[in-house]
Amino acid sequence: MRATRKAICWRLFLCSCLFLESSSQDFGGQTQFICTSVPKDMDICAATLQNSVPGEDLKTTVMQLRETVLQQKETIMNQKETIRELTSKLARCESQSGPEPGDAQGPGGRKKEAGTKNTMGDVSRGPADTLTQLSQTLQSLKQRLENLEQFSRSNNSVQANSLKDLLQSKIDDLEKQVLSRVNSIEEGKPGLRNETEQRGRVESTLTSLHQRITDLEKGQRENRPLDKFQLTFPLRTNYMYAKVKKSLPEMYALTVCMWLKSNASPGVGTPFSYAVPGQANELVLIEWGNNPMEILINDKVAKLPFLINDGKWHHICVTWTTRDGVWEAFQDGVKRGSGENLAPYHPIKPQGLLILGQEQDTLGGGFDATQAFVGDLANFHIWDRKLSVGEIYNLATCSSKAQVGNVFAWMETSLDIYGGASKWTFEACRQLN
């Protein structure tokens, strides 16, 4: 009798597995085990197939699964206090373990805070901060998605609704990853051994999600000129940035101008950095920590007299010539300072990489969240000559005579955007402050 029961159990198990394996292919490979009552004299495999989920029942099951996911999402939102407590516990654990050996160096030879990482994809301040950053990024993306939902409803766009559903699914997946991260923190440090790999997957998903949202937003701005936009960096992270598609040529003089808006503290971060092989600080604009804003050329530093972190739009320009290393700084069309001996007789080298929003410690990477730009950036232009006072004033006042950069001109098609930085319509002098 016992052997007979065992045989029946195995038949039921195998039949259920065969059926569910075929069904799971329609659901991304996820398999479920279902227990079903079977009459005493009925064939078990036939009963299993009879009780399978066809047609409308399948649709109902999918809707139930969807409801479960939404409930899980609500649970995540209701557990903020738990996340904060776990964050505090993890911070205490990390403080007990102490910083890693050695002090990393920031731009100009300044020391970075102990314990920070210099490799893109590593966590700049530990898994707890990463979790907070991911949660904030998700909230930002979800807000953009809600705006798009309202747009699609008002325009009755079938394509927009289809993309909206796909984006919502992506956000659900991301929130599951955040929940998984919470569980790893709760279980202790052994669960964080694959932190770098997990972070890479999350960043990749964020980039994909951002790109899909950007594509959807294009429907709202199809008639916008390609230069009438701003880049927004809402969070201080080590994975949110824009990359200029082409390199800079060799330059013996330059002018770089842009509109900036930020109220970040301490320091607005790094609006741009240009690195070449063998020199990560070939050309950098940075306001880091409690230091004033600085321009770095070949790792040589000049302090700039800019005061811009008041949450208002400001136009800034810096000119430089290799002869005697003479530089000048302009804010809102007015000359605010000048100097010399900034990397004299050193031409800006070609074949490098220009990044907006991050400071490079290595060519194309080594980003540090503490030095990331937070705020809005627009109308970024570079010339291979020193602009005159009048030309800079025309740029700051949006004169019809204003020129565009002959080395780099501000165009949407000239940039690749990563990590959740976003583009919005912007026209200088019409919507400032």
Side-chain angles (χ1 to χ4, degrees):
M1 183 67 180
R2 185 175 303 173
T4 302
R5 288 181 179 176
K6 187 178 296 184
I8 291 174
C9 290
W10 273 110
R11 288 185 63 197
L12 176 58
F13 175 79
L14 291 173
C15 290
S16 299
C17 287
L18 287 172
F19 173 71
L20 291 172
E21 183 178 359
S22 63
S23 299
S24 67
Q25 295 175 1
D26 299 329
F27 293 89
Q30 296 180 357
T31 303
Q32 301 180 20
F33 293 97
I34 303 173
C35 295
T36 307
S37 60
V38 180
K40 180 178 180 182
D41 298 326
M42 190 171 186
D43 183 77
I44 295 176
C45 289
T48 303
L49 293 175
Q50 270 186 1
N51 291 321
S52 60
V53 187
E56 292 300 320
D57 290 340
L58 179 59
K59 184 177 180 180
T60 301
T61 301
V62 172
M63 295 303 295
Q64 290 173 348
L65 290 173
R66 172 75 175 170
E67 184 65 25
T68 300
V69 171
L70 292 176
Q71 290 173 358
Q72 290 176 347
K73 182 167 65 176
E74 184 176 349
T75 300
I76 293 173
M77 298 303 295
N78 292 333
Q79 288 182 340
K80 289 183 178 180
E81 187 61 34
T82 302
I83 293 175
R84 282 194 291 268
E85 292 176 1
L86 292 171
T87 299
S88 177
K89 290 179 182 178
L90 184 62
R92 288 196 296 270
C93 290
E94 291 181 335
S95 65
Q96 293 173 2
S97 63
E100 293 182 6
D103 291 322
Q105 296 292 318
R110 297 188 304 271
K111 288 186 178 180
K112 297 179 182 177
E113 297 175 12
T116 58
K117 309 287 186 182
N118 289 331
T119 305
M120 182 183 178
D122 281 353
V123 184
S124 61
R125 289 175 179 257
D129 262 3
T130 302
L131 178 60
T132 302
Q133 291 172 4
L134 286 173
S135 299
Q136 291 173 331
T137 302
L138 282 172
Q139 283 300 113
S140 173
L141 291 172
K142 289 171 73 174
Q143 182 61 52
R144 290 172 66 191
L145 184 58
E146 289 175 5
N147 294 337
L148 291 171
E149 286 177 350
Q150 295 176 1
F151 171 78
S152 64
R153 282 196 296 269
S154 62
N155 289 272
N156 194 25
S157 170
V158 176
Q159 182 180 8
N161 283 323
S162 176
L163 280 172
K164 178 204 68 175
D165 292 339
L166 182 59
L167 292 173
Q168 186 63 60
S169 175
K170 288 265 182 188
I171 287 178
D172 290 343
D173 290 341
L174 276 172
E175 289 182 328
K176 289 178 183 177
Q177 293 183 52
V178 172
L179 183 59
S180 174
R181 185 70 61 85
V182 172
N183 292 335
S184 296
I185 294 174
E186 191 173 20
E187 292 169 3
K189 284 196 172 182
L192 300 173
R193 293 172 183 172
N194 296 324
E195 180 67 34
T196 301
E197 182 181 349
Q198 291 179 9
R199 176 63 176 274
R201 288 197 298 269
V202 171
E203 289 178 16
S204 176
T205 307
L206 279 174
T207 299
S208 173
L209 175 59
H210 157 73
Q211 187 58 52
R212 290 184 179 276
I213 290 180
T214 300
D215 290 342
L216 185 54
E217 289 169 340
K218 285 180 181 178
Q220 304 179 46
R221 56 174 190 255
E222 289 179 351
N223 298 322
R224 185 185 73 199
L226 292 177
D227 63 332
K228 306 300 183 185
F229 74 101
Q230 70 183 54
L231 281 180
T232 297
F233 301 88
L235 303 171
R236 200 182 293 276
T237 73
N238 65 348
Y239 55 83
M240 195 177 293
Y241 65 101
K243 181 173 68 174
V244 173
K245 292 182 179 180
K246 69 174 186 177
S247 180
L248 305 183
E250 186 174 55
M251 294 185 290
Y252 292 82
L254 70 84
T255 299
V256 56
C257 298
M258 71 202 78
W259 286 95
L260 290 178
K261 179 181 179 182
S262 181
N263 58 2
S265 179
V268 303
T270 308
F272 77 89
S273 64
Y274 177 67
V276 297
Q279 178 53 275
N281 295 325
E282 183 68 6
L283 176 61
V284 181
L285 182 67
I286 184 171
E287 185 180 86
W288 181 62
N290 294 315
N291 302 290
M293 184 163 279
E294 300 171 340
I295 182 80
L296 283 73
I297 297 180
N298 192 32
D299 217 14
K300 306 302 186 292
V301 182
K303 299 184 183 301
L304 305 177
F306 294 148
L307 296 174
I308 62 172
N309 62 339
D310 56 2
K312 298 180 180 180
W313 281 104
H314 293 283
H315 187 264
I316 64 171
C317 285
V318 178
T319 70
W320 171 84
T321 59
T322 185
R323 183 174 181 178
D324 296 326
V326 175
W327 60 270
E328 294 177 335
F330 296 78
Q331 180 175 324
D332 300 323
V334 178
K335 183 177 176 180
R336 297 294 178 92
S338 62
E340 57 184 18
N341 292 321
L342 175 59
Y345 304 102
H346 171 83
I348 302 296
K349 295 179 181 179
Q351 304 305 315
L353 190 60
L354 180 59
I355 297 290
L356 306 182
Q358 295 285 350
E359 194 274 325
Q360 303 173 67
D361 281 343
T362 59
L363 183 63
F367 303 152
D368 181 350
T370 65
Q371 297 175 331
F373 175 69
V374 180
D376 303 307
L377 184 153
N379 290 44
F380 180 83
H381 293 273
I382 299 178
W383 294 260
D384 60 0
R385 64 183 181 87
K386 177 182 176 181
L387 295 189
S388 68
V389 173
E391 289 173 320
I392 291 175
Y393 183 79
N394 287 339
L395 288 165
T397 56
C398 308
S399 167
S400 59
K401 299 179 181 179
Q403 302 181 36
V404 299
N406 68 332
V407 170
F408 176 78
W410 187 245
M411 297 285 286
E412 285 194 59
T413 53
S414 301
L415 298 169
D416 290 323
I417 300 175
Y418 301 91
S422 56
K423 290 186 289 189
W424 303 97
T425 299
F426 171 83
E427 191 165 355
C429 296
R430 290 194 179 182
Q431 57 186 50
L432 301 184
N433 308 324

PDB file of all heavy atoms in Angstrom, residues 49-68:
ATOM      1  N   LEU A  49      -4.367  17.496 -16.235  1.00  0.00           N
ATOM      2  CA  LEU A  49      -4.574  18.260 -17.463  1.00  0.00           C
ATOM      3  C   LEU A  49      -5.951  18.895 -17.488  1.00  0.00           C
ATOM      4  O   LEU A  49      -6.142  19.991 -18.001  1.00  0.00           O
ATOM      5  CB  LEU A  49      -4.383  17.340 -18.683  1.00  0.00           C
ATOM      6  CG  LEU A  49      -2.951  16.830 -18.885  1.00  0.00           C
ATOM      7  CD1 LEU A  49      -2.911  15.834 -20.037  1.00  0.00           C
ATOM      8  CD2 LEU A  49      -2.010  17.984 -19.135  1.00  0.00           C
ATOM      9  N   GLN A  50      -6.970  18.183 -16.952  1.00  0.00           N
ATOM     10  CA  GLN A  50      -8.307  18.751 -16.914  1.00  0.00           C
ATOM     11  C   GLN A  50      -8.345  20.006 -16.060  1.00  0.00           C
ATOM     12  O   GLN A  50      -9.061  20.943 -16.343  1.00  0.00           O
ATOM     13  CB  GLN A  50      -9.296  17.738 -16.322  1.00  0.00           C
ATOM     14  CG  GLN A  50      -9.918  16.840 -17.395  1.00  0.00           C
ATOM     15  CD  GLN A  50     -10.995  15.967 -16.774  1.00  0.00           C
ATOM     16  OE1 GLN A  50     -11.261  16.051 -15.579  1.00  0.00           O
ATOM     17  NE2 GLN A  50     -11.611  15.141 -17.578  1.00  0.00           N
ATOM     18  N   ASN A  51      -7.563  20.003 -14.991  1.00  0.00           N
ATOM     19  CA  ASN A  51      -7.588  21.135 -14.066  1.00  0.00           C
ATOM     20  C   ASN A  51      -6.585  22.218 -14.429  1.00  0.00           C
ATOM     21  O   ASN A  51      -6.271  23.074 -13.615  1.00  0.00           O
ATOM     22  CB  ASN A  51      -7.301  20.648 -12.629  1.00  0.00           C
ATOM     23  CG  ASN A  51      -8.441  19.828 -12.096  1.00  0.00           C
ATOM     24  OD1 ASN A  51      -9.596  20.144 -12.343  1.00  0.00           O
ATOM     25  ND2 ASN A  51      -8.116  18.762 -11.382  1.00  0.00           N
ATOM     26  N   SER A  52      -5.972  22.140 -15.601  1.00  0.00           N
ATOM     27  CA  SER A  52      -5.031  23.186 -16.024  1.00  0.00           C
ATOM     28  C   SER A  52      -5.787  24.487 -16.249  1.00  0.00           C
ATOM     29  O   SER A  52      -7.009  24.514 -16.252  1.00  0.00           O
ATOM     30  CB  SER A  52      -4.308  22.757 -17.297  1.00  0.00           C
ATOM     31  OG  SER A  52      -5.230  22.545 -18.323  1.00  0.00           O
ATOM     32  N   VAL A  53      -5.049  25.581 -16.489  1.00  0.00           N
ATOM     33  CA  VAL A  53      -5.660  26.909 -16.504  1.00  0.00           C
ATOM     34  C   VAL A  53      -5.738  27.423 -17.927  1.00  0.00           C
ATOM     35  O   VAL A  53      -4.778  28.002 -18.421  1.00  0.00           O
ATOM     36  CB  VAL A  53      -4.811  27.898 -15.647  1.00  0.00           C
ATOM     37  CG1 VAL A  53      -5.526  29.217 -15.519  1.00  0.00           C
ATOM     38  CG2 VAL A  53      -4.541  27.283 -14.294  1.00  0.00           C
ATOM     39  N   PRO A  54      -6.827  27.185 -18.661  1.00  0.00           N
ATOM     40  CA  PRO A  54      -6.931  27.637 -20.038  1.00  0.00           C
ATOM     41  C   PRO A  54      -7.618  28.990 -20.128  1.00  0.00           C
ATOM     42  O   PRO A  54      -8.231  29.461 -19.195  1.00  0.00           O
ATOM     43  CB  PRO A  54      -7.797  26.544 -20.675  1.00  0.00           C
ATOM     44  CG  PRO A  54      -8.710  26.125 -19.548  1.00  0.00           C
ATOM     45  CD  PRO A  54      -7.973  26.344 -18.264  1.00  0.00           C
ATOM     46  N   GLY A  55      -7.546  29.620 -21.310  1.00  0.00           N
ATOM     47  CA  GLY A  55      -8.354  30.775 -21.689  1.00  0.00           C
ATOM     48  C   GLY A  55      -8.506  31.842 -20.630  1.00  0.00           C
ATOM     49  O   GLY A  55      -7.540  32.441 -20.163  1.00  0.00           O
ATOM     50  N   GLU A  56      -9.782  32.092 -20.241  1.00  0.00           N
ATOM     51  CA  GLU A  56     -10.106  33.162 -19.311  1.00  0.00           C
ATOM     52  C   GLU A  56      -9.487  32.932 -17.945  1.00  0.00           C
ATOM     53  O   GLU A  56      -9.114  33.872 -17.247  1.00  0.00           O
ATOM     54  CB  GLU A  56     -11.631  33.296 -19.180  1.00  0.00           C
ATOM     55  CG  GLU A  56     -12.315  33.811 -20.435  1.00  0.00           C
ATOM     56  CD  GLU A  56     -11.798  35.200 -20.805  1.00  0.00           C
ATOM     57  OE1 GLU A  56     -11.585  36.013 -19.889  1.00  0.00           O
ATOM     58  OE2 GLU A  56     -11.608  35.447 -21.996  1.00  0.00           O
ATOM     59  N   ASP A  57      -9.377  31.631 -17.532  1.00  0.00           N
ATOM     60  CA  ASP A  57      -8.757  31.343 -16.229  1.00  0.00           C
ATOM     61  C   ASP A  57      -7.311  31.794 -16.216  1.00  0.00           C
ATOM     62  O   ASP A  57      -6.792  32.272 -15.210  1.00  0.00           O
ATOM     63  CB  ASP A  57      -8.848  29.847 -15.914  1.00  0.00           C
ATOM     64  CG  ASP A  57     -10.284  29.422 -15.619  1.00  0.00           C
ATOM     65  OD1 ASP A  57     -11.098  30.298 -15.293  1.00  0.00           O
ATOM     66  OD2 ASP A  57     -10.565  28.221 -15.704  1.00  0.00           O
ATOM     67  N   LEU A  58      -6.634  31.616 -17.343  1.00  0.00           N
ATOM     68  CA  LEU A  58      -5.236  32.059 -17.441  1.00  0.00           C
ATOM     69  C   LEU A  58      -5.156  33.571 -17.285  1.00  0.00           C
ATOM     70  O   LEU A  58      -4.288  34.089 -16.574  1.00  0.00           O
ATOM     71  CB  LEU A  58      -4.666  31.629 -18.792  1.00  0.00           C
ATOM     72  CG  LEU A  58      -3.212  32.032 -19.074  1.00  0.00           C
ATOM     73  CD1 LEU A  58      -2.293  31.441 -18.016  1.00  0.00           C
ATOM     74  CD2 LEU A  58      -2.794  31.561 -20.460  1.00  0.00           C
ATOM     75  N   LYS A  59      -6.061  34.281 -17.931  1.00  0.00           N
ATOM     76  CA  LYS A  59      -6.076  35.741 -17.816  1.00  0.00           C
ATOM     77  C   LYS A  59      -6.314  36.165 -16.374  1.00  0.00           C
ATOM     78  O   LYS A  59      -5.683  37.091 -15.861  1.00  0.00           O
ATOM     79  CB  LYS A  59      -7.162  36.312 -18.730  1.00  0.00           C
ATOM     80  CG  LYS A  59      -7.213  37.834 -18.757  1.00  0.00           C
ATOM     81  CD  LYS A  59      -8.264  38.315 -19.743  1.00  0.00           C
ATOM     82  CE  LYS A  59      -8.317  39.837 -19.765  1.00  0.00           C
ATOM     83  NZ  LYS A  59      -9.342  40.321 -20.731  1.00  0.00           N
ATOM     84  N   THR A  60      -7.241  35.454 -15.707  1.00  0.00           N
ATOM     85  CA  THR A  60      -7.528  35.766 -14.297  1.00  0.00           C
ATOM     86  C   THR A  60      -6.297  35.549 -13.431  1.00  0.00           C
ATOM     87  O   THR A  60      -5.981  36.350 -12.541  1.00  0.00           O
ATOM     88  CB  THR A  60      -8.675  34.886 -13.791  1.00  0.00           C
ATOM     89  OG1 THR A  60      -9.831  35.115 -14.598  1.00  0.00           O
ATOM     90  CG2 THR A  60      -8.999  35.211 -12.330  1.00  0.00           C
ATOM     91  N   THR A  61      -5.566  34.460 -13.699  1.00  0.00           N
ATOM     92  CA  THR A  61      -4.342  34.171 -12.940  1.00  0.00           C
ATOM     93  C   THR A  61      -3.315  35.283 -13.115  1.00  0.00           C
ATOM     94  O   THR A  61      -2.670  35.712 -12.158  1.00  0.00           O
ATOM     95  CB  THR A  61      -3.741  32.830 -13.397  1.00  0.00           C
ATOM     96  OG1 THR A  61      -4.701  31.804 -13.206  1.00  0.00           O
ATOM     97  CG2 THR A  61      -2.475  32.521 -12.596  1.00  0.00           C
ATOM     98  N   VAL A  62      -3.178  35.747 -14.362  1.00  0.00           N
ATOM     99  CA  VAL A  62      -2.234  36.838 -14.624  1.00  0.00           C
ATOM    100  C   VAL A  62      -2.623  38.091 -13.853  1.00  0.00           C
ATOM    101  O   VAL A  62      -1.786  38.772 -13.258  1.00  0.00           O
ATOM    102  CB  VAL A  62      -2.163  37.140 -16.139  1.00  0.00           C
ATOM    103  CG1 VAL A  62      -1.332  38.389 -16.392  1.00  0.00           C
ATOM    104  CG2 VAL A  62      -1.565  35.970 -16.888  1.00  0.00           C
ATOM    105  N   MET A  63      -3.929  38.410 -13.841  1.00  0.00           N
ATOM    106  CA  MET A  63      -4.385  39.590 -13.116  1.00  0.00           C
ATOM    107  C   MET A  63      -4.130  39.441 -11.615  1.00  0.00           C
ATOM    108  O   MET A  63      -3.789  40.403 -10.927  1.00  0.00           O
ATOM    109  CB  MET A  63      -5.887  39.808 -13.376  1.00  0.00           C
ATOM    110  CG  MET A  63      -6.219  40.149 -14.824  1.00  0.00           C
ATOM    111  SD  MET A  63      -5.336  41.617 -15.418  1.00  0.00           S
ATOM    112  CE  MET A  63      -6.072  42.850 -14.350  1.00  0.00           C
ATOM    113  N   GLN A  64      -4.295  38.215 -11.106  1.00  0.00           N
ATOM    114  CA  GLN A  64      -4.015  37.979  -9.688  1.00  0.00           C
ATOM    115  C   GLN A  64      -2.540  38.184  -9.379  1.00  0.00           C
ATOM    116  O   GLN A  64      -2.175  38.755  -8.352  1.00  0.00           O
ATOM    117  CB  GLN A  64      -4.453  36.575  -9.293  1.00  0.00           C
ATOM    118  CG  GLN A  64      -5.974  36.386  -9.270  1.00  0.00           C
ATOM    119  CD  GLN A  64      -6.375  34.941  -9.042  1.00  0.00           C
ATOM    120  OE1 GLN A  64      -5.546  34.040  -9.109  1.00  0.00           O
ATOM    121  NE2 GLN A  64      -7.658  34.716  -8.780  1.00  0.00           N
ATOM    122  N   LEU A  65      -1.684  37.702 -10.291  1.00  0.00           N
ATOM    123  CA  LEU A  65      -0.243  37.909 -10.109  1.00  0.00           C
ATOM    124  C   LEU A  65       0.090  39.393 -10.133  1.00  0.00           C
ATOM    125  O   LEU A  65       0.922  39.881  -9.359  1.00  0.00           O
ATOM    126  CB  LEU A  65       0.536  37.175 -11.212  1.00  0.00           C
ATOM    127  CG  LEU A  65       0.540  35.646 -11.135  1.00  0.00           C
ATOM    128  CD1 LEU A  65       1.190  35.061 -12.379  1.00  0.00           C
ATOM    129  CD2 LEU A  65       1.278  35.181  -9.891  1.00  0.00           C
ATOM    130  N   ARG A  66      -0.558  40.108 -11.045  1.00  0.00           N
ATOM    131  CA  ARG A  66      -0.337  41.552 -11.128  1.00  0.00           C
ATOM    132  C   ARG A  66      -0.735  42.229  -9.817  1.00  0.00           C
ATOM    133  O   ARG A  66      -0.029  43.124  -9.321  1.00  0.00           O
ATOM    134  CB  ARG A  66      -1.161  42.111 -12.286  1.00  0.00           C
ATOM    135  CG  ARG A  66      -1.197  43.623 -12.395  1.00  0.00           C
ATOM    136  CD  ARG A  66       0.079  44.167 -12.938  1.00  0.00           C
ATOM    137  NE  ARG A  66      -0.015  45.591 -13.142  1.00  0.00           N
ATOM    138  CZ  ARG A  66       1.010  46.356 -13.425  1.00  0.00           C
ATOM    139  NH1 ARG A  66       2.205  45.821 -13.567  1.00  0.00           N
ATOM    140  NH2 ARG A  66       0.852  47.642 -13.607  1.00  0.00           N
ATOM    141  N   GLU A  67      -1.870  41.804  -9.271  1.00  0.00           N
ATOM    142  CA  GLU A  67      -2.336  42.377  -8.010  1.00  0.00           C
ATOM    143  C   GLU A  67      -1.347  42.097  -6.888  1.00  0.00           C
ATOM    144  O   GLU A  67      -1.084  42.946  -6.040  1.00  0.00           O
ATOM    145  CB  GLU A  67      -3.713  41.796  -7.669  1.00  0.00           C
ATOM    146  CG  GLU A  67      -4.363  42.401  -6.417  1.00  0.00           C
ATOM    147  CD  GLU A  67      -4.692  43.863  -6.605  1.00  0.00           C
ATOM    148  OE1 GLU A  67      -4.877  44.290  -7.760  1.00  0.00           O
ATOM    149  OE2 GLU A  67      -4.750  44.581  -5.598  1.00  0.00           O
ATOM    150  N   THR A  68      -0.773  40.883  -6.913  1.00  0.00           N
ATOM    151  CA  THR A  68       0.226  40.528  -5.896  1.00  0.00           C
ATOM    152  C   THR A  68       1.439  41.444  -5.982  1.00  0.00           C
ATOM    153  O   THR A  68       1.963  41.913  -4.970  1.00  0.00           O
ATOM    154  CB  THR A  68       0.673  39.063  -6.090  1.00  0.00           C
ATOM    155  OG1 THR A  68      -0.467  38.211  -5.962  1.00  0.00           O
ATOM    156  CG2 THR A  68       1.711  38.681  -5.036  1.00  0.00           C
TER     157      THR A  68
END
